[in-house]
Every structure is written in structure tokens, then in C-alpha cells.
Amino acid sequence: MPEQVKKKVCVEKMGKDNRLFYHVYNKEKPSDRKIFYVYDSSYCYSMKKDEWNFIADMADYIGVEFFVPIYPLTPEHTCRETFEVLVDVYKEVTTQFTPKQLILAGCGTGAGVALSMNMIAWQEGLKNPDKTLLLSPVLDAEYKDEKLMSKMSEKAKRDSRTVISPGVIDFIVDYWVKDYAGKYEYTSPIHENMNALSGTYIIVSSTDDVFNNHARTLCTGLDEAGIKPFYFEYTGVGTDFFFKRNNDQSVHLRKIIKDMLTDSRDTIINEYMFEVKTRGELSKKFPEIFNDETATRYLAKNRIWYKKYKKKPLFRYLIDAAVYHDFDEVVRTFLKEYPDGTVVYVGCGLDTMFERVDNGRVMWYNLDSPGRIAIRNMYTSENDREKIIDISVHDLSWFNEVKCERDRGLLFVCRNVLEYYTETEVKDFLTKLSDEFKGCNVVFEVDTFFEMLAANRYSGRRGAEYRHRQLYMNDPNSTIESWDPGYRVISAKPVLDGVQQMPGWDSKLKLIYRIAKRLQGTRIVRVRLGYEKFSALFNN
């Protein structure tokens, strides 16, 4: 154990004989939340310095207590011996320290063992954990699933730090799994029935992780068992990125973990929830333009405080309300034309547009990154005709997840997405959409040059990252139709068209409104990318 760990937090070595464990805590922050943490051993290595530092950092930062068992390793010991020790230590921790809230956690192979411990606790009548935190989980020590293996192969070739070879697999199976082969609750919990599991599951992975598909498969299994996991997936970072103290993604994740483990939202989750607050405020300030009952109800029951927020002028709220209204109206118009159509909300965030525009027949996809979808699940639940695609907007593999009958209409809603792209990037994105979904419709927001500058000036900061708008078109019709002769701009409506001046507005707002309405600075543009292929008609 690194000496700096002992300088930061209290560390007590406890237990006896071969049932030893470490108690790690901040004596200035006593807590009734106890974490039983299984470290990443790759089945045969002792705990690394970075992982010790991570535990110390989290104990100090969150104010929780860690219990870290020192369990038997292969080749001298097998899976059976490992779990005999872990079960005994688990019993001692849960009876001696009587946690008000018990959290099972693990990293890498330790995360797989932690999930197994969750299953074993239920089988043996031990205290069930209230929450389970799994970091970059490795969940299949027997490597029997060919689908999982095939998905891992390409990533394993690109990651020199991870060795997945027949020799390594044989070693794990022969020396660690050994006589527990086929007992998946111990060796490969990803293949075990998950219906008996309970509690909250927080799962973290990276797209670069060789075992990323283990995490995603587990999420699917939990979802099928009626458990909604909170899944956070990071792009372009290493497998153990969360050990790095100054990595932006690691800092973000540590804030997420703090909120999730302490049942708080003040560290970072309110930054996500702030868009709900914004929609609720728009509904209050400009109810004649936009109304979101779900956001309003949520705000009546929940307080959202976001100290980094910088208020915008009232006129910017007026523009926001008009933008939301016009996006909704474009979708409603589309659904009148194609009542059985499909809508894909690209970058949906926490918006509940489906509830506002649903015609009772549309098939709807909400698309966003796993982290945002995880927070979204805290706020709302999906309808039977709503599907989730938890893939980054920039990872166009989500194209494969969209299933539709094109002759019934397909619309991509890109609110708060394309205005941050350059014109070249938007053109490239539309080309790819057109190639994959010929004849689809796309709706997005576009500013004139001067409106873009004004929006960047007045937009409030939402978190550490402040995104500048880059897209502008003074004449969307001619610009877009010049990109491809098959593109047709169906509508390019200025957002203040149809917005009437209200008697209750102050004189400043009335003046700016009249000027802005004449300038027509922001438009909601609907484009059709070519013509649909009515293959069924051609075949008749």
C-alpha cells in the first residue's frame, strides 16, 4: 500500500489468518455508507498503486468507508477458495459494522467477482447490497460465449495493454475456474439469471475497453430482469481512466459516483437536470408559446440548484420558448403527413417531446450518450412506442439501431445538435443520413451570422464546457439545396413568426422583440433528403 494513502485517510488492517481486509475511511467524515470493494486482480495480481489511491481519494471525497478484502489469487488458489474467503469477510463486515447502506463495488475482474457476490449473497441469505458499482467489469471468466469473444477480438488487437489469447484464457480456466466450471454465478455472472437481483446498479465503461461489450450485455440483462441500470460510458479514454486524478472524464465520473452513492444531485447531476428547470421556467414565463407539463410537475416536487448557471436576458428565454414550440410544431406537421411514421430524436437529452406531440401511432427513438440516458432514466420512463439508443450522437453506428418502414415516413429531430457543427460537418452528416435513409426528413435550428454571434454572447454557461455555435446560414433554402440537387427545403420558418406580442411584456422586451422579428435571425429548417423508395409499389 502506498504511504500517501495512509497520509490522506485512516487505514486499519483487520481480520485474522487468511481472512484479512483493510478498513479505509476519513475519520473527519464518519459515514453509515459502507463499500465492500473487490479490487482488480486479473485473478493473479495484488492491488496496484493507482487503485489504492483511487480508493483513498473516494473515501476522502465522498466520505464513505471502504472495506477491501485481500483474497486468494491464482495459480496457487482457485475460484472456490476466493469465494470462501470473500463470503467470510463479507459476513464479518456486514455484521460487525452494520451498515445503514451497503454498497458492493469492484473494478475489472473484481467487478465480475462483486456481481457474483451479489448473487451469492441472495442465495446464502446474506445481507443484500443496496447498490452495486461496477467499473470496467470483466464478467466472463470461462470465455464460452462466441459472440462476446468476437466483439472483443478487434479491440484486443488495438490495445497492447490487454492480452486476450488462447494461452491466457486457458490459464484462467485451468487455474482459477478449475472445478467451478459451469457454475456461472461464480465464474461468469453475465450468463446467470438476473431475476433475483435487486437494488441499484451503477455501471461504468469506456468505448476503448476490450470488455466494453460485457458492460453493455449486463445492462441488457438487467433491463430484461426489470432493473434499470445507470450506465455511464466514456469515449476515447483508457480502460482504467477513472484512476487518473486530473483526467476530465475521471473528474466527471467521480462527481457522478458521489451523487449516485450519496443520493444527492448537488455535485453534478443538477447540471444535467438544469435543462428540465429551463423548460419549466419557459412554461412559466411564456405559457402562450410553450408548455411542458412534465417539467413543470417535476419542478414542483424537486429543487434544482445549479450554482454555475448564469442567467440570460429575458429575450433569450423568449427565443428558447419559440424554438421549442417550433420544433414541436414541425414534428406534429410531419405526423399529420405520416401518422404511422418514425421519429428519431438525435441528442434528446432529458426532453420529453414525445409526450407533447404523440399522436398515438408514431414509433419514437430517443438517442443520446449512455451517461445522459442514465440521468434521463432518473427523470422519466419510456412509453411502449419509445425506444432508447444509448450511443453518442457522433458515433454513427446508431444508424444500425433505427428500424423503420421508409414509405411511412422517417424524421430526424436535431435540436441543440447541428448548430454546434461547422457547415462542412453538417453537410457531411446529411450526406451520410441520405445514403443510409434515402428520402428521410431532418429538422434542425440555424441562425444568421449575427444571430449566431448574439447567441454565443448571451448563452449562459452550463458546466465547465461552453459550446460555441458554429453553424449559420443567411439563406438556408439556397445554401442547403446547393449541396445536393435531391435535397428540398420543405420549410425554413423564423422562430418568431406566429409569436404575438403580449400586453404583460415590459417595454424593453417589446422593443427587442420587434427588432428581432424583422431580422428573422433564427429559423427551424425542415429538409427532405431525396425521394423515398416505395419498393413495395414497384414490386406490384
Side-chain angles (χ1 to χ4, degrees):
M1 178 189 300
E3 283 301 316
Q4 62 207 58
V5 169
K6 297 178 182 179
K7 294 178 181 178
K8 175 171 283 192
V9 292
C10 294
V11 180
E12 297 179 8
K13 191 173 184 179
M14 308 184 76
K16 57 182 180 180
D17 301 328
N18 63 341
R19 266 64 173 168
L20 299 175
F21 63 94
Y22 287 94
H23 183 196
V24 182
Y25 62 98
N26 184 336
K27 63 181 179 181
E28 295 180 359
K29 299 178 182 178
S31 174
D32 53 10
R33 290 184 172 89
K34 319 293 185 184
I35 299 182
F36 188 89
Y37 184 91
V38 187
Y39 72 90
D40 182 14
S41 66
S42 297
Y43 308 114
C44 59
Y45 298 109
S46 57
M47 185 148 53
K48 299 179 181 68
K49 174 183 176 181
D50 286 348
E51 195 162 4
W52 271 120
N53 287 327
F54 172 74
I55 290 173
D57 289 345
M58 298 308 285
D60 180 57
Y61 176 53
I62 302 176
V64 292
E65 299 183 15
F66 280 81
F67 296 88
V68 185
I70 306 303
Y71 57 93
L73 302 173
T74 201
E76 290 84 2
H77 304 281
T78 66
C79 169
R80 176 178 54 78
E81 296 169 279
T82 294
F83 281 100
E84 285 175 357
V85 169
L86 288 176
V87 168
D88 286 347
V89 175
Y90 187 85
K91 287 178 181 177
E92 183 172 349
V93 169
T94 54
T95 54
Q96 180 179 343
F97 293 90
T98 58
K100 182 178 180 181
Q101 188 176 90
L102 176 64
I103 301 162
L104 246 179
C107 174
T109 56
V113 172
L115 180 59
S116 292
M117 285 295 297
N118 198 318
M119 296 176 175
I120 295 164
W122 179 83
Q123 292 176 359
E124 299 198 8
L126 305 176
K127 179 176 175 59
N128 289 321
D130 300 287
K131 297 176 181 177
T132 302
L133 169 65
L134 306 177
L135 306 170
S136 297
V138 179
L139 303 171
D140 183 10
E142 296 197 40
Y143 295 94
K144 293 291 186 183
D145 192 317
E146 292 184 1
K147 290 183 179 179
L148 288 178
M149 287 296 294
S150 64
K151 290 178 181 178
M152 291 163 54
S153 60
E154 284 304 313
K155 287 186 178 180
K157 291 176 183 177
R158 295 194 297 267
D159 190 347
S160 60
R161 297 169 302 173
T162 305
V163 180
I164 302 295
S165 66
V168 171
I169 293 172
D170 288 345
F171 173 83
I172 294 169
V173 172
D174 292 343
Y175 287 92
W176 193 76
V177 173
K178 209 166 184 179
D179 54 335
Y180 265 31
K183 293 187 176 184
Y184 291 148
E185 68 271 32
Y186 294 93
T187 63
S188 302
I190 199 170
H191 301 311
E192 190 63 18
N193 189 325
M194 297 180 191
N195 290 321
L197 295 176
S198 61
T200 300
Y201 283 80
I202 306 149
I203 302 166
V204 177
S205 186
S206 161
T207 54
D208 293 350
D209 185 2
V210 170
F211 298 97
N212 173 250
N213 57 318
H214 284 203
R216 283 189 160 269
T217 302
L218 173 60
C219 288
T220 301
L222 289 170
D223 196 52
E224 291 173 351
I227 300 172
K228 275 284 187 189
F230 294 98
Y231 179 52
F232 299 92
E233 183 179 273
Y234 292 79
T235 303
V237 291
T239 300
D240 55 357
F241 71 95
F242 33 78
F243 291 159
K244 296 176 174 60
R245 291 171 174 165
N246 298 320
N247 178 290
D248 288 344
Q249 291 88 345
S250 175
V251 171
H252 178 273
L253 175 61
R254 292 181 185 207
K255 292 178 179 179
I256 285 286
I257 291 174
K258 182 175 183 179
D259 277 352
M260 297 298 295
L261 296 190
T262 60
D263 300 307
S264 168
R265 295 180 176 180
D266 296 336
T267 308
I268 196 171
I269 288 180
N270 273 348
E271 293 188 20
Y272 289 90
M273 301 303 294
F274 203 81
E275 66 174 89
V276 179
K277 182 175 174 64
T278 298
R279 292 203 310 277
E281 288 181 347
L282 295 179
S283 299
K284 283 183 181 180
K285 295 178 189 298
F286 300 102
E288 68 280 1
I289 301 174
F290 175 74
N291 184 34
D292 190 321
E293 294 182 359
T294 302
T296 303
R297 286 196 303 269
Y298 185 87
L299 291 182
K301 298 178 181 179
N302 299 272
R303 178 174 175 269
I304 298 177
W305 171 250
Y306 182 20
K307 60 185 178 182
K308 295 179 182 177
Y309 176 64
K310 174 181 163 185
K311 286 190 176 181
K312 296 183 285 188
L314 186 59
F315 174 69
R316 301 312 309 180
Y317 284 104
L318 173 63
I319 293 293
D320 289 347
V323 167
Y324 272 108
H325 171 272
D326 282 7
F327 267 103
D328 286 1
E329 285 303 303
V330 168
V331 178
R332 289 190 185 101
T333 300
F334 171 81
L335 293 179
K336 288 177 182 177
E337 300 168 5
Y338 301 95
D340 296 304
T342 298
V343 175
V344 182
Y345 194 165
V346 180
C348 63
L350 276 63
D351 193 6
T352 50
M353 183 188 288
F354 175 82
E355 295 179 11
R356 300 194 299 270
V357 304
D358 181 25
N359 66 348
R361 296 161 66 176
V362 62
M363 177 56 67
W364 192 279
Y365 288 90
N366 287 314
L367 163 68
D368 215 323
S369 65
R372 288 190 177 274
I373 292 298
I375 302 301
R376 180 185 176 86
N377 289 338
M378 300 173 65
Y379 165 63
T380 186
S381 57
E382 269 35 72
N383 180 285
D384 290 342
R385 286 177 285 107
E386 279 184 283
K387 296 183 182 297
I388 289 292
I389 304 177
D390 57 345
I391 299 175
S392 169
V393 170
H394 306 292
D395 179 0
L396 298 186
S397 66
W398 58 261
F399 283 5
N400 301 323
E401 303 297 320
V402 177
K403 310 299 179 187
C404 60
E405 297 180 47
R406 292 179 199 166
D407 60 329
R408 294 191 175 187
L410 172 61
L411 172 66
F412 292 91
V413 177
C414 301
R415 188 195 66 82
N416 202 34
V417 175
L418 297 188
E419 56 263 43
Y420 302 105
Y421 287 20
T422 64
E423 182 177 322
T424 300
E425 290 169 337
V426 172
K427 182 179 178 181
D428 181 58
F429 175 70
L430 295 186
T431 298
K432 291 174 180 176
L433 271 185
S434 178
D435 290 344
E436 186 71 20
F437 304 101
K438 196 71 173 178
C440 70
N441 284 242
V442 185
V443 57
F444 57 95
E445 174 185 351
V446 63
D447 297 328
T448 62
F449 177 73
F450 289 108
E451 175 60 24
M452 178 192 70
L453 294 180
N456 284 334
R457 178 182 177 187
Y458 288 116
S459 290
R461 291 183 178 273
R462 300 186 180 186
E465 181 183 0
Y466 175 39
R467 296 190 299 168
H468 282 270
R469 296 181 180 219
Q470 301 184 78
L471 179 65
Y472 68 90
M473 297 179 194
N474 294 324
D475 184 357
N477 295 65
S478 60
T479 299
I480 294 172
E481 292 181 357
S482 70
W483 292 347
D484 189 296
Y487 292 176
R488 180 188 168 196
V489 177
I490 297 174
S491 63
K493 178 180 174 292
V495 295
L496 292 180
D497 273 13
V499 174
Q500 300 299 317
Q501 179 177 298
M502 302 302 292
W505 292 0
D506 62 34
S507 57
K508 182 179 180 181
L509 179 60
K510 289 177 181 178
L511 175 62
I512 299 176
Y513 159 77
R514 288 195 293 270
I515 295 172
K517 191 165 185 176
R518 177 171 295 184
L519 293 175
Q520 298 186 346
T522 301
R523 290 180 172 85
I524 305 302
V525 179
R526 178 183 167 190
V527 183
R528 188 179 67 201
L529 306 181
Y531 296 91
E532 296 189 41
K533 297 179 179 178
F534 294 89
S535 55
L537 296 177
F538 294 143
N539 291 335
N540 287 337

